[in-house]
């Protein structure tokens, strides 16, 4: 072969090599583009379901007997409430695990969530309790190893909050502080993970199992992270999904590789999540960054994480000490509010409980009320309090450890057309002239006290699932009064089998709310719950003067069972100022207060209730006076308020009735 021929052959081989290499490179790029969202900052190509190689703890570096517990977030009431439960149910349940903690160096938390509207103090030194098992003491080297604490200034310099605020999800009740709190959560989780990873680097091995937990919740049962079968565990959703769905973002445990996705892939996956929404019919009526929906995308769409959803029950603790008992309503563990109270008394100690009384507000709920603070209503602040500002979606009966002499339960019936007027109604009820005790949810004078618990329900037979307008009005009223006086009975109060009925003016729903409130005081499992000593009924477009409670309390104290007062009506009369009498056209639904005894005193007597009966069974046969005694077949529907009060008037006798000739109600 000639020299020239050999050179040509070599050149051809070189060109062929380049061509093949280019083809393979293009093919690789094409394959790469078929998996959007799987390329990470280190440009490592991975398969869906696996974390980046830098976080993949497989092979000889994995220590099968090593586990880590990571706490993230602010320690609300940790020493006084939460720590006893964390020690018993998390630390003692995982004694072999190392503990790492990230928190923020703050002394107060103020937000739109129930229990934090007026702000609550944070003792940041409580956080060291979580590290006591590692006996770090004053050893600064060990503290640096297991604890990281960021300032608010550092956090805000790290993240552009204005960018995230532009992504507030719609529709939802999220506010700017809701989004800010979500970003704080993401940052804290990521920093806790960094602490653990740095320790792994020093030791030369990696933890095989990791659990990530909040320090500001009350854990109700042991949670062990050791079971190797449980690859990726998250809690069941703790609020009713509406338009946004998602995966509970409050806790995780499992293998290290899947924990790393949960903990470290949030900020880097935001772009993929927003791209996922574009042109996606599932997002035709919604947009933005919704925490639980994002997490669902991250774990099930971007990565195929083998999620295991478990009925894990824990309850958030607000900085005021309010315990969100409703958090376990949807979990399937039942109502353990009473159990929680007993454990609080036993573990924390009665003395400490009373010394911190302002910080322990118990809420009582019916199993029918399952609209917890909804992150769709408020995010993070969780829930979003407004998310997380969680406010009135919680069914709060006003129990707080204070044995109020008189507790008025006010049932406010409303519908979406009253959205602009409902805030006025709620403010007129919550801004009464007695000195308000925010921690006691009551109004006090020298002779005693009267507590007010307000329940708002949508009676619209068509749009009964709309609740955002009620939530917004309740949030505002609760924020202004400084405690959770108003509870919203959300869409789950109405079942598909029993929606509000047309042409009965909301009286069917009113009877069911009465069932619910009376159930909580007569059913054995609610035996410790506070009773409604009196009831009022009104509509979401009515108004009360500031001296209402002051004017009716004297009659309440001497035991009057029916108290009625003058009112202004919107109906066309010769005079719109009505001098009240218990007869048709001279009494109105919102101008009367009646005692629970008067409502329960029927010929049949009070039902005997068994602990084995469900709430629905009991409510189906509750024996008390009703606005619709014959259901929707009841006659003369328009005047049912008159007939209801007339029956009580005739039963208790004139001597037990107080007529107050003073205008204390405006009927719009």
């Amino acid at each position: 072969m000639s020299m020239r021929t050999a050179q040509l052959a070599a050149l051809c081989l070189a060109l062929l090599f380049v061509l093949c290499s280019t083809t393979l490179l293009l093919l690789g790029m094409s394959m790469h583009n078929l998996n959007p969202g799987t390329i990470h900052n280190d440009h490592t190509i991975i398969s869906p379901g696996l974390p980046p190689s830098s976080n993949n703890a497989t092979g000889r570096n994995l220590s099968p007997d090593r586990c880590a517990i990571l706490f993230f977030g602010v320690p609300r009431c940790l020493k006084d409430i939460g720590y006893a439960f964390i020690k018993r149910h998390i630390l003692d349940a995982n004694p072999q695990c190392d503990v790492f903690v990230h928190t923020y160096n703050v002394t107060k938390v103020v937000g739109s969530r129930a229990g934090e509207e007026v702000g609550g103090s944070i003792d940041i030194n409580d956080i060291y309790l979580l590290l006591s098992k590692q006996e770090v003491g004053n050893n600064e080297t060990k503290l640096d190893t297991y604890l990281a604490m960021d300032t608010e200034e550092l956090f805000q310099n790290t993240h552009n909050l204005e960018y995230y605020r532009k992504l507030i999800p719609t529709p939802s009740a999220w506010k700017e502080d809701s989004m800010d709190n979500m970003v704080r959560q993401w940052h804290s989780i990521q920093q806790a993970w960094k602490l653990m990873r740095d320790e792994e680097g020093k030791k030369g091995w990696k933890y095989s199992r990791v659990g990530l937990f909040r320090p500001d919740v009350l854990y109700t049962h042991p949670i062990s992270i050791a079971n190797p079968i449980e690859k990726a565990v998250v809690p069941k959703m703790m609020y009713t999904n509406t338009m946004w769905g998602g995966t509970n973002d409050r806790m995780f445990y499992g293998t290290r590789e899947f924990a790393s996705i949960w903990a470290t892939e949030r900020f880097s996956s935001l772009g993929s999540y927003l791209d996922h929404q574009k042109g996606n019919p599932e997002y035709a009526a919604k947009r933005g960054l919704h925490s639980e929906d994002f997490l669902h995308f991250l774990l099930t769409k971007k990565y195929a994480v083998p999620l295991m959803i478990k009925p894990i029950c824990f309850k958030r603790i607000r900085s005021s000490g309010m315990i969100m008992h409703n958090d376990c309503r949807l979990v399937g563990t039942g109502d353990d509010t009473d159990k929680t109270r007993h454990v609080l008394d036993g573990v924390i100690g009665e003395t400490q409980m009373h010394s911190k009384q302002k910080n322990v507000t118990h809420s009582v709920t019916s199993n029918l009320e399952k609209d917890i603070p909804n992150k769709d209503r408020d995010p993070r602040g969780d829930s979003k309090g407004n998310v997380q500002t969680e406010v009135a979606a919680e069914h709060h009966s006003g129990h707080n450890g204070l044995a109020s002499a008189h507790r008025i339960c006010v049932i406010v019936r409303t519908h979406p057309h009253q959205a602009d007027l409902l805030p006025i109604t709620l403010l007129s009820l919550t801004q009464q002239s007695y000195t308000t005790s925010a921690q006691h949810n009551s109004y006090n004078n020298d002779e005693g006290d009267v507590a007010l618990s307000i329940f708002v329900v949508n009676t619209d037979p068509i749009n009964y699932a709309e609740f955002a307008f009620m939530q917004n009005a309740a949030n505002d009223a609760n924020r202004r009064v400084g405690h959770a006086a108003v509870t919203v009975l959300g869409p789950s109060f109405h079942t598909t089998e029993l929606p509000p009925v047309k042409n009965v003016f909301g009286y069917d729903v009113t009877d069911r709310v009465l069932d619910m409130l009376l159930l909580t005081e007569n059913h054995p499992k609610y035996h410790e719950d506070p009773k409604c000593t009196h009831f009022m009924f009104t509509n979401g477009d009515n108004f009360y003067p500031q001296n209402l409670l002051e004017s009716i309390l004297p009659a309440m104290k001497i035991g009057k069972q029916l108290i009625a007062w003058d009112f202004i009506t919107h109906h066309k009369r010769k005079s719109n100022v009505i001098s009240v009498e218990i007869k048709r056209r001279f009494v109105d639904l919102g101008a009367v207060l009646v005692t629970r005894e008067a409502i329960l005193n029927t010929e049949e007597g009070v039902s005997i209730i068994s602990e084995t009966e469900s709430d629905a069974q009991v409510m189906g046969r509750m024996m008390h006076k009703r606005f619709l005694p014959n259901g929707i077949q009841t006659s003369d529907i328009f005047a049912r308020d008159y007939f209801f009060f007339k029956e009580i008037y005739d039963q208790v006798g004139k001597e037990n009735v107080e007529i107050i000739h003073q205008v204390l109600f405006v009927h719009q």
Side-chain angles (χ1 to χ4, degrees), residues 17-260:
F17 175 78
V18 172
L19 179 61
C20 292
S21 299
T22 303
T23 301
L24 290 172
L25 177 61
L26 291 174
L27 180 60
M29 293 177 66
S30 176
M31 293 293 289
H32 173 131
N33 290 332
L34 288 175
N35 296 283
T38 62
I39 303 300
H40 295 260
N41 293 334
D42 59 0
H43 304 293
T44 302
I45 301 176
I46 66 173
S47 301
L50 291 177
S53 59
S54 60
N55 288 328
N56 190 5
T58 59
R60 58 188 176 88
N61 288 334
L62 185 65
S63 181
D65 59 345
R66 292 281 185 172
C67 59
I69 298 293
L70 279 57
F71 289 101
F72 58 91
V74 176
R76 296 172 174 85
C77 299
L78 180 60
K79 179 179 179 180
D80 295 300
I81 301 177
Y83 177 68
F85 297 90
I86 288 177
K87 183 179 186 302
R88 172 182 293 186
H89 296 319
I90 304 299
L91 300 179
D92 290 352
N94 301 277
Q96 75 280 19
C97 296
D98 291 335
V99 177
F100 299 88
V101 181
H102 176 272
T103 189
Y104 294 96
N105 191 5
V106 296
T107 58
K108 188 173 185 178
V109 173
V110 179
S112 52
R113 293 173 290 175
E116 292 188 346
E117 307 93 329
V118 296
S121 61
I122 302 293
D123 187 345
I124 199 60
N125 291 318
D126 289 358
I127 203 71
Y128 298 108
L129 290 169
L130 300 176
L131 298 171
S132 59
K133 71 183 290 290
Q134 287 160 220
E135 299 180 351
V136 296
N138 295 320
N139 188 322
E140 294 185 4
T141 301
K142 279 196 171 185
L143 280 178
D144 290 343
T145 298
Y146 299 110
L147 172 67
M149 190 181 302
D150 287 343
T151 63
E152 178 67 13
E153 180 181 12
L154 185 149
F155 165 73
Q156 295 202 24
N157 288 338
T158 304
H159 301 283
N160 182 1
L161 295 181
E162 289 301 324
Y163 168 76
Y164 293 97
R165 290 169 182 172
K166 294 176 182 178
L167 300 177
I168 289 177
T170 57
S172 77
W174 284 43
K175 301 184 185 301
E176 288 188 354
D177 68 329
S178 305
M179 181 60 74
D180 293 352
N181 285 333
M182 188 203 74
V183 179
R184 287 188 182 93
Q185 181 200 53
W186 287 15
H187 176 85
S188 187
I189 292 171
Q190 190 164 277
Q191 293 303 106
W193 185 272
K194 182 179 182 299
L195 271 177
M196 181 196 76
R197 191 181 60 205
D198 290 346
E199 178 68 3
E200 289 176 332
K202 298 174 185 176
K203 299 291 179 61
W205 44 253
K206 295 182 178 181
Y207 294 96
S208 60
R209 297 189 64 79
V210 182
L212 296 106
F213 299 90
R214 291 172 51 161
D216 61 341
V217 300
L218 188 156
Y219 295 95
T220 64
H221 56 85
I223 303 174
S224 170
I225 72 170
N227 189 342
I229 297 176
E230 298 176 332
K231 305 294 185 183
V233 175
V234 294
K236 185 177 178 182
M237 288 298 290
M238 295 180 176
Y239 69 91
T240 302
N241 290 334
T242 52
M243 180 166 287
W244 293 93
T247 298
N248 194 319
D249 64 349
R250 300 175 187 174
M251 190 207 84
F252 177 95
Y253 71 84
T255 61
R256 187 190 189 284
E257 61 266 32
F258 296 125
S260 70

Side-chain angles (χ1 to χ4, degrees), residues 156-455:
Q156 295 202 24
N157 288 338
T158 304
H159 301 283
N160 182 1
L161 295 181
E162 289 301 324
Y163 168 76
Y164 293 97
R165 290 169 182 172
K166 294 176 182 178
L167 300 177
I168 289 177
T170 57
S172 77
W174 284 43
K175 301 184 185 301
E176 288 188 354
D177 68 329
S178 305
M179 181 60 74
D180 293 352
N181 285 333
M182 188 203 74
V183 179
R184 287 188 182 93
Q185 181 200 53
W186 287 15
H187 176 85
S188 187
I189 292 171
Q190 190 164 277
Q191 293 303 106
W193 185 272
K194 182 179 182 299
L195 271 177
M196 181 196 76
R197 191 181 60 205
D198 290 346
E199 178 68 3
E200 289 176 332
K202 298 174 185 176
K203 299 291 179 61
W205 44 253
K206 295 182 178 181
Y207 294 96
S208 60
R209 297 189 64 79
V210 182
L212 296 106
F213 299 90
R214 291 172 51 161
D216 61 341
V217 300
L218 188 156
Y219 295 95
T220 64
H221 56 85
I223 303 174
S224 170
I225 72 170
N227 189 342
I229 297 176
E230 298 176 332
K231 305 294 185 183
V233 175
V234 294
K236 185 177 178 182
M237 288 298 290
M238 295 180 176
Y239 69 91
T240 302
N241 290 334
T242 52
M243 180 166 287
W244 293 93
T247 298
N248 194 319
D249 64 349
R250 300 175 187 174
M251 190 207 84
F252 177 95
Y253 71 84
T255 61
R256 187 190 189 284
E257 61 266 32
F258 296 125
S260 70
I261 295 176
W262 192 91
T264 69
E265 292 294 299
R266 304 193 186 203
F267 289 110
S268 61
S269 300
L270 177 54
S272 300
Y273 171 67
L274 298 177
D275 288 342
H276 172 69
Q277 295 184 5
K278 296 176 181 177
N280 189 332
E282 294 181 10
Y283 293 88
K286 56 188 179 183
R287 69 179 188 278
L289 172 55
H290 185 278
S291 182
E292 286 83 2
D293 185 77
F294 167 82
L295 192 61
H296 185 73
F297 161 80
L298 177 67
L299 301 180
T300 67
K301 300 240 179 358
K302 182 173 181 179
Y303 299 106
V305 175
L307 287 179
M308 180 181 291
I309 300 174
K310 298 186 68 174
I312 297 172
C313 169
F314 54 87
K315 306 175 181 183
R316 288 162 297 156
I317 303 170
R318 297 306 190 207
S319 58
S320 66
M322 177 185 292
I323 299 172
M324 309 301 283
H325 289 292
N326 267 348
D327 280 354
C328 292
R329 285 291 169 190
L330 299 186
V331 171
T333 57
D335 179 7
D336 64 348
T337 298
D338 289 342
K339 177 182 177 182
T340 299
R341 291 179 190 152
H342 296 319
V343 175
L344 276 169
D345 289 344
V347 175
I348 300 177
E350 191 67 24
T351 301
Q352 187 175 5
M353 279 285 291
H354 289 299
S355 69
K356 200 70 175 181
Q357 186 64 61
K358 67 182 182 65
N359 283 338
V360 184
T361 300
H362 298 290
S363 62
V364 180
T365 63
S366 159
N367 282 337
L368 295 180
E369 176 45 39
K370 298 178 180 178
D371 290 283
I372 332 177
N374 191 317
K375 283 190 188 146
D376 289 2
R377 296 196 289 268
D378 350 275
R380 197 66 313 86
D382 169 34
S383 151
K384 251 180 201 237
N386 245 0
V387 98
Q388 300 290 219
T389 115
E390 241 118 316
V391 86
E394 176 189 22
H395 178 128
H396 176 76
S397 72
H399 179 47
N400 44 32
L402 177 69
S404 302
H406 309 286
R407 179 167 296 280
I408 301 175
C409 290
V410 185
I411 300 175
V412 180
R413 304 121 41 88
T414 188
H415 53 76
H417 292 297
Q418 294 178 344
D420 293 333
L421 296 173
L422 179 60
I424 299 173
T425 302
L426 298 184
L427 288 175
S428 72
L429 287 168
T430 56
Q431 297 293 320
Q432 288 293 301
S433 56
Y434 280 133
T435 301
T436 303
S437 173
Q439 63 265 40
H440 290 154
N441 187 22
S442 62
Y443 300 91
N444 303 296
N445 65 6
D446 294 337
E447 299 176 298
D449 66 87
V450 54
L452 203 64
S453 296
I454 303 169
F455 301 87

Side-chain angles (χ1 to χ4, degrees), residues 456-513:
V456 185
V457 63
N458 187 346
T459 61
D460 192 307
I462 297 175
N463 300 310
Y464 60 86
E466 293 189 23
F467 67 94
F469 76 99
M470 300 188 294
Q471 187 69 57
N472 291 337
N475 285 349
D476 182 60
N478 288 338
R479 177 181 61 81
R480 292 173 184 273
V481 76
H483 58 269
V486 184
T487 293
V488 172
L489 304 183
S492 64
F493 179 76
H494 305 292
T495 64
T496 55
E497 295 81 15
L498 197 61
V501 179
K502 294 181 179 180
N503 303 319
V504 296
F505 304 104
Y507 287 121
D508 58 329
V509 177
T510 309
D511 281 339
R512 286 201 289 120
V513 178

